[in-house]
Amino acid sequence: MNPFASRTQGNDWVWPVSAMCLILGLMISMAWVTQENRQSRRGFLSADQQTRITEGEVDLEAFQELTASVAKLREEKTKYEQALASQSGDSKVLNESLQEAKAFAALTEVEGPGILITLSDSAKAGGTVSDAAVAGDVIIHDTDVLRVVNELFASGAEAIAVNGHRVSPRTAFRCVGTTILVNDVKIASPVRIFSVGDADTLYGAMMMPGGILAEIRDSDPAMVQIEKLKVVRVPAYSGTTNLKFGKVPAIAK
Amino acid sequence: MIFVPLVALLLGILIAVATGLASIQGLQGQYVAVACLAGLDSVCGGIRSGLEGKFRKDIFFTGFVSNIVIAFFLAWLGQRIYIDLFLAVALVLTTRIYTNLSLIRRFAVTNYLDRQARRAKGVGETTPEPGA
């Protein structure tokens, strides 16, 4: 005999339960998360989490398109400036100083001897977040990149690009979750830092004992690779150059 | 008989889809979600007690309402005092749903095996199958 049906079995439960099921079905449909109302549920997350979601939502295609068009327009501008300069001596001088300023401001491509530093996460780094938290030094952080770039400039680098993003006066390095933001673009290990300058000097400075790279090497020597290169070509900065708030003060006469 | 509530559930969803009942926006959506869990728990409990022959309408209806109200209250309280009571409510309700569903399954399997055994003993000798 079925011990679970020891008493007489009526079916009077079916209709009340079914009625409730009907209501339940309606409720489930109302609670269903759709594409449209997913955004509105965000209010439930903490402010910190919300920021991370917003930062994650980058329209990559549009971004790449815009970056490409900025690069193209800047190149055209240089061409026009040079065309203008070929007409007279005065404008030629003007253009030279303009191009110099642009090269300094990272608005043109730069080519020359230099070195390539590759920073990669150690193979020792565990797969889980908690492992990484315990052994924090086996992954490349934003501060590592920042300090390497700083060190490069200190030892005379003239132009630096990090994973193809030119370091400009406006460049910031920032940690976002497991990635690093450079010029507001996410990059991750391996981080390839190209720098233009005297290759020997840069190489020597990077090998300095007690320097930032030595620190990283302490965790795992495989995390750092340095190469001297005959020709390094770093791209132009493709971010905004607009000044919204600052302006150049008028020159006193 | 156990299929009637399931059909009703689908019917409810169909009605909602057909009438274009909008999904709830924002935080209220979370409350409805918790209410759904509470409702699911009540319904499973109802089916179980029905199968066990202990079903009582009054207890079922009050349980349905009070479950939802308690879930609402806890969720709201969690928001106020900044503890994720949503999770606590979801955990408890899900545990109960599991228990109820396992009891329903146990009942169904026992019932089925019982019938098989009876049929094997002697055909037509005992009481005829219900509905046969």
Side-chain angles (χ1 to χ4, degrees), chain A residues 1-5 7-18 20-32 34 36-37 40-41 43-44 46, chain B residues 1 4-5 8-9 12-13 16 21 23-27 29-30 32-33 35-36 39-40 43 47 50 52 55 57 60-61 64 79 86 106-107 110-111 114:
Chain A
M1 280 306 281
N2 187 345
F4 295 101
R7 291 177 217 185
T8 46
Q9 207 183 328
N11 278 330
D12 55 336
W13 58 273
V14 170
W15 295 114
V17 170
S18 299
M20 286 299 138
C21 270
L22 195 80
I23 296 171
L24 186 62
L26 286 170
M27 287 199 319
I28 288 177
S29 312
M30 278 156 78
W32 205 262
T34 57
E36 296 92 63
N37 69 4
S40 65
R41 293 275 174 97
F44 189 59
S46 66
Chain B
M1 273 329 226
V4 179
L9 185 70
I13 294 173
L21 198 69
S23 300
I24 306 292
Q25 296 285 322
L27 286 185
Q30 292 278 353
V32 180
C36 279
L40 201 59
V43 162
I47 293 176
E52 287 177 354
F55 184 79
K57 242 186 233 161
F60 177 69
F61 281 118
F64 190 83
Q79 286 250 296
F86 265 123
R106 207 175 269 239
F107 174 85
T110 319
N111 210 15
D114 230 33

Side-chain angles (χ1 to χ4, degrees), chain A residues 32-237:
Chain A
W32 205 262
V33 178
T34 57
Q35 203 66 38
E36 296 92 63
N37 69 4
R38 184 180 297 165
Q39 304 294 326
S40 65
R41 293 275 174 97
R42 234 187 239 174
F44 189 59
L45 298 173
S46 66
D48 181 41
Q49 286 168 314
Q50 286 184 43
T51 322
R52 256 184 267 162
I53 290 178
T54 338
E55 274 169 351
E57 273 175 2
V58 178
D59 188 349
L60 197 62
E61 261 174 48
F63 172 78
Q64 281 168 341
E65 228 167 77
L66 283 176
T67 317
S69 68
V70 165
K72 210 178 115 206
L73 288 172
R74 289 228 167 106
E75 231 167 75
E76 266 172 29
K77 199 177 162 206
T78 310
K79 227 182 276 168
Y80 289 139
E81 282 159 3
Q82 256 143 14
L84 200 65
S86 62
Q87 285 169 7
S88 74
D90 283 359
S91 53
K92 201 171 183 180
V93 174
L94 258 180
N95 183 49
E96 264 164 27
S97 81
L98 174 62
Q99 296 311 322
E100 238 171 64
K102 276 174 79 176
F104 180 72
L107 293 176
T108 58
E109 283 191 310
V110 171
E111 208 177 55
I115 61 170
L116 161 63
I117 299 171
T118 308
L119 304 174
S120 30
D121 289 349
S122 167
K124 283 187 213 160
T128 63
V129 176
S130 58
D131 285 351
V134 171
D137 284 327
V138 291
I139 58 173
I140 298 297
H141 298 283
D142 51 336
T143 47
D144 295 330
V145 180
L146 180 62
R147 288 175 66 193
V148 169
V149 168
N150 195 36
E151 199 99 341
L152 281 168
F153 274 134
S155 42
E158 287 162 2
I160 298 176
V162 178
N163 277 20
H165 301 291
R166 180 71 176 274
V167 178
S168 78
R170 286 262 183 106
T171 298
F173 299 94
R174 194 187 154 205
C175 169
V176 177
T178 54
T179 55
I180 302 171
L181 283 188
V182 180
N183 288 348
D184 289 333
V185 182
K186 281 179 187 167
I187 63 165
S189 159
V191 181
R192 292 154 66 82
I193 305 173
F194 285 95
S195 51
V196 176
D198 181 33
D200 293 325
T201 313
L202 291 178
Y203 188 82
M206 286 300 112
M207 297 301 280
M208 183 175 73
I212 166 68
L213 289 184
E215 256 174 53
I216 301 176
R217 277 206 188 91
D218 272 349
S219 316
D220 185 356
M223 289 167 77
V224 182
Q225 280 165 342
I226 309 185
E227 260 178 85
K228 285 190 217 176
L229 296 174
K230 287 238 168 61
V231 181
V232 174
R233 198 181 171 123
V234 294
Y237 174 65

